[in-house]
Structure formats: C-alpha cells, structure tokens
Amino acid sequence: MIEIRELSFKYKGGSDYSLKDINLKIKKGECILLCGRSGCGKSTLLKLMNGIIPEFYDGDISGSVMVNGMNTFTTPIYKLSNNVGSVFQNPKTQFYTTNTTDEIAFGLENYGIEREVINKRIEEVEKELHLENLMNKNIFNLSGGEKQKIAIASIYALNPEIFILDEPSSSLDIKSMKELSLTIKKLRSLGKTIIIAEHRLWYLKDIVDRAIYLEDGKIIREYSMDEIENLSEDERMRTGLRHSDYKAIERFDDFETSNKGTLLELKNLIFKRNTKIILSIENLKFFYGNIIGIVGENGIGKSTLAKIICGLNKENKGKILKDDENLNIKSRLNESLLIMQEVNCQLFTDTVKDEIVLTSNIKDDNALDTWLKDMELKNISDRNPHTLSGGQKQRAIILSALLSDKKILFFDEPTSGLDYRNMKIVAKNIKKVKEEDKLILIISHDVEFLDSVCDKVIDFTYL
C-alpha cells in the first residue's frame, strides 16, 4: 500500500535533514506505529505520505514515496485524498465550518456526493463513533478532546483506504482514548491501512502490528509492543518510549498535600454558557507549594476553570479568594499565568531564548543558561520557536511560565507532544519551582505524567 525508497528531506532554510535515507514498506491492512523522541521526524514522514510535503512545504527532497501506486511528489493532492485521510495534532487546523455536523459532511460535499447518501453516512458515523452528544454543536464551544473526535469523524466519513493519525490521543480523556482504540480496531477489521505517530502507547497495545522507531531522522529498528513494555528505565530514557501497559500507570497516590496556608479558594463558583451550567464548584482549596493534577472527561469544565481562575472568563456567581481576600478579574490576570493547549497561539518572538526572557523573572544569564540546559533547550535557544517540533515548542513555553514571577501557574495539557524522556525532564523542572511556594495546577489526561509530578490529583467527575 505504501512504499518509501531512499527518502531524504530537509525543510527550506533548515540546517539539517529531518529525514535521512528512509526505506519502508507498509502492506494493505497493516497498523503501523511511528515512534521516537520529539523531533525525530515522525510528523514529517506522515506529511510525505499524505502529500502535504511537497504541496505546502518547500525543501530539498530525494528518493520516492508511492501510495497505492501513486507518486506523492507528482500526484495532485485531491487525488491522494481519495485514498489517504489525515487527522492532525491540532484539530483546529483542519476545520472548515463552525458546526460539528456540517464539518462531518464537508468532505463528502466536496466530492459531490448526493444529499441522501451524505445524510445516511452522517447517521452511520454518529452511531459508530458514539457522537450523539456532539452533533449539531458550535465547534468553538467544544473542548480540545471533543474537537479531536469531530476531526476523526470527518475523516472516518470519507472512508479512505489509508488513515494517517498524528498524535490523535493528545487531547483525549481516558474514556475517549479507549473509544479511539475501538475505532482503530474497527478500521483494521475493515481492511484499512493505518499509520499512527504517537507518544502515548497503552491504548494501541493490542492493535499495532509493528512499531517503527526513528532517531534523528533515520529508521533505527522495529519493536513489538511487548518489547517496548519490557524496556529498562535507562532504555526508556534513551529512546523516549512510553509504557505500553495502562495498568502499570493507572494508580494515583492521592496523599494529603503539605499545608503551608491556603493560596486559592473557590466558593460557590458557577459558570454558565447561555443558560447551561458549565461549571459548578461548592468549595475547593489550593495550598502554597503544591502541584495539583486535574482530571475528568472531555467537556466537563476543566479548561473553563483555568480561564476563570486566570481572569480570562468571568464567573456568573461565587467568589475566588487569595489569602482570604477576594480576587477580581484584574488581580487574577496579575497573579496567574495560563499555558493553553494550543502552543502556537503563545509564541511571540524570533528565538527560543527571547521567548523565555519575555516572561522570565531571571536577570542572570548564567542562571537562565542552566535552566535551558536542564530543559534540554540550550542547543536550540537561537532557533525560531515556530520551526521546532511540537515537543520542543511545549518545553519552551512551559519553561517561560516556570521562570515567570506569577504565583499561580495553570498548565492545560502540557505533555501532548512529549516523549518519555522529555516528560520526565518537564516533571523534574516543574518540581523545582514548587519550592518557591507557587501553586501549580495541571489539567491533563496523561496519567503517566501526573503520576510522576503531582502531589494530589482531583477528579472533576466527582466534584
């Protein structure tokens, strides 16, 4: 179905090749995992399979990529899309409408399919992907995970022979990841060919035929999922490969946090969208010097809470207190900092170092260099942030927050592009600022990360 020969690629203006001498054959009906550390070339390889490179990205390219008998370098992308459906890391980049049902229909309409057939297909997709609660909704009102579900559904509706998924679990809760696993199994049973670039591996354990491991743009070896699970800690740190067994990371040590005094208290907090209550919290306290994880299903109100605490949304009712004094919107903006799910929306400067200095409270260059080294950003500190991989961008924006003078730091899905090694590096550096009596709140579905960094985890399902 896919044959790649002697493929090398360097982005225009890049100093090194992102892919080097790639040779790979993928049979019809196979499910292939592309894995490796952040920036190893996984997403670039996907873009060469679906024709996005060279259609939208310039660079030096050699070798060949054949997909279902078509040369992706010369075949028009509209012909390739008949065979290849892609789901990107950030679902917003592939939306064309503002309504969820319209979005699922959009691709079908572009192929001129009759209205009756489109309506029938939408009904099938709704039922098969369990989207009953997401149909005919405003896309801008959806959570990150809900948007990802609609993006997957819009491709699923087209029924291509090949599915390309770039970190499809990045914004999904545990329940949705399990549903995604069932969806991929269903695609396999229909004989579809599936290629997935992913860091979180447990939901793919019983699905993947082969795991292709990339390092510095080269295919180094193949793994089975059992081999990945049996890696030593040293091998896991070197390769960046996460655990493939969910049961090993399912437990939380929900112990009491050290009480250095209440930094933040929420009382009778209610937030509505139109007349619908999105968030309702009777009483919740957060203490100085704590790292708190916040979990719960997609759409339950976690990101809404972050925006309220940080002064970006205004509550309809209730109080937010700091040191027993009421915090108004202006005070919240001054006291807090939010790192959002969409990293690209928060990059403003021309270099990584300038990006961090923009919000940093550190005046000593030596101290800043130490932080850059600890976050493994020193060697790319002069790069433009927009040219980095998703994981590198994530680490840069996290460090900019950690070095700010804000007392309340809110991270919304901070590990979506992080491999195992970088997940551990981020966890270590977050723990370092805990000593400064900051309050760090982390919204995440990444239980492996939360287990390694948090003092306590709050499940919003039971608030």
Side-chain angles (χ1 to χ4, degrees), residues 444-462:
S444 182
H445 303 300
D446 187 350
V447 290
E448 195 170 6
F449 173 66
L450 294 176
D451 197 36
S452 67
V453 72
C454 291
D455 298 318
K456 185 174 182 177
V457 176
I458 298 171
D459 192 337
F460 258 39
T461 309
Y462 304 106

Side-chain angles (χ1 to χ4, degrees), residues 310-326:
C310 295
L312 300 176
N313 281 350
K314 179 169 174 49
E315 68 279 8
N316 295 93
K317 181 182 176 183
K319 292 183 178 180
I320 298 178
L321 309 172
K322 178 179 181 286
D323 295 327
D324 296 322
E325 292 186 5
N326 192 52

Side-chain angles (χ1 to χ4, degrees), residues 181-200:
S181 178
L182 293 174
T183 299
I184 296 171
K185 284 181 180 178
K186 181 178 180 63
L187 294 175
R188 279 201 63 185
S189 71
L190 296 172
K192 304 298 182 182
T193 305
I194 307 160
I195 302 98
I196 308 167
E198 184 64 279
H199 289 302
R200 300 175 193 178

